[in-house]
Amino acid sequence: MGLFITFEGGEGCGKSTQSRLLLKQLEQQNIPVVLTHEPGDTALGNELRRALKRRRDSFISPQAELFLFAASRVQLVAELIRPALEEGKVVICDRFTYSTLVYQGYGRGLDFTAIKMVNNMATGNLNPDLIILLDISPEQGLARKRSLKDRFELEDLSFHRRVREGYLKMAAAEPDRWLAIDASLPKEKIAEIIWDRVSRLLPDLSA
Ligand code: TMP
């Protein structure tokens, strides 16, 4: 099995930038790696992503939202993540199951046990080896966005505060598996902290 690394964080935290920098760094070391993101990155997932993020006609019940994210995840795990891990690759995923616990659980108020059950069904109990949390205040994160376009970005500040608190709680509960980083640091510094941790996990790949 390869190494499974996921990025998590609130809006505007810089996950896509950092996941791309990590991809580059691994490619430079000739380590087989794939980068993917949720929701989306499969034909079905891209359709679900559009429905989930669409601003207009946008009433989706929290339960339906949970299942739509889960459906996108089932497909991504089956088509891309599991095969790549089985080939021994490093898989970097921009958002995964913890986004659901935080956004649909802390954010929307759905039951955590139910979310965990759906997550486990969607992934076949696949868990990341490392979760990188880019922590930023909602005020700072939202201000980084050029415009607030989708159903999540348009949620009020208290929703985004619950999301942040949820992430911080989960990271504190499992410090061995989470790397929480202050996302207001310069991006080069963040990349350095990430590389320091990831490079220590790499020898495990040959095991
Ligand atoms: P992003 O790709 O720009 O991060 O947008 C994905 C949005 O979907 C983001 O606002 C977080 C939200 N989301 C959930 O609410 N639950 C989930 O399980 C996932 C993967 C994302």
Side-chain angles (χ1 to χ4, degrees), residues 8-11 15-16 37-39 49 52-53 65-66 69-70 73 94-104 108 119 145 150-153 159-160 167:
E8 295 285 355
E11 312 303 316
K15 286 179 292 88
S16 7
H37 69 266
E38 281 202 342
R49 180 182 181 88
L52 280 160
K53 293 191 66 142
E65 195 175 271
L66 169 68
F69 279 114
R73 183 165 301 139
D94 181 344
R95 296 200 182 280
F96 199 59
T97 41
Y98 291 98
S99 282
T100 318
L101 278 165
V102 162
Y103 280 80
Q104 280 64 53
R108 301 275 193 236
N119 275 347
K145 298 247 155 183
D150 68 42
R151 291 173 56 252
F152 295 97
E153 290 165 352
F159 177 91
H160 294 291
Y167 272 133

